[in-house]
Every structure is written in structure tokens, then in C-alpha cells.
Amino acid sequence: MQSCKRATELMSQQLDRELSASEKLGLKMHLLMCRHCRKCEQQLGIIHQLCARRGDTPPDGE
């Protein structure tokens, strides 16, 4: 199982780009086993939605 650190990196990256098949699978497997990361993914999604509603965008280069 991948680490929670790697899982959170992938969760963040999937908001900006399409994950590879192996990344998606690894993340999915981790999320099946880790309730803390499932909660983190849910919270990241909420933050992303709220920022999109406000029209916030990340600074250039990020």
C-alpha cells in the first residue's frame, strides 16, 4: 500500500491533471483502506469547488 503522503499528492494532482492508470489504481486501493485519506479527498474536493465558485485560480507557475 502506498503512503498517505503519496496518496495526498495524487489527490492534489488529480485536480489539475489526468492521473495515469497506475496512479489511479494505486490511489483507489489506498482510499479503500484508509479512512483518513478518504476524508482528505472529500475535503480537497469541497475546497476545489468553493474556489471554482469564487473564480479563484492558482498563481502563475502553479
Side-chain angles (χ1 to χ4, degrees):
M1 183 167 97
Q2 65 185 214
S3 70
C4 292
K5 181 179 179 182
R6 179 65 179 145
T8 55
E9 289 170 355
L10 290 173
M11 284 183 253
S12 178
Q13 290 175 12
Q14 75 179 351
L15 296 173
D16 300 321
R17 68 172 178 90
E18 182 74 21
L19 297 181
S20 70
S22 63
E23 289 173 326
K24 286 180 189 178
L25 180 60
L27 179 57
K28 182 169 242 161
M29 294 298 293
H30 184 88
L31 292 173
L32 286 171
M33 308 217 22
C34 183
R35 67 183 170 97
H36 301 292
C37 286
R38 283 193 304 271
K39 186 68 171 175
C40 180
E41 182 184 43
Q42 181 183 37
Q43 292 170 346
L44 280 173
I46 291 168
I47 292 168
H48 186 74
Q49 289 174 351
L50 292 172
C51 288
R53 284 186 200 158
R54 284 193 50 187
D56 292 346
T57 57
D60 289 344
E62 291 187 24

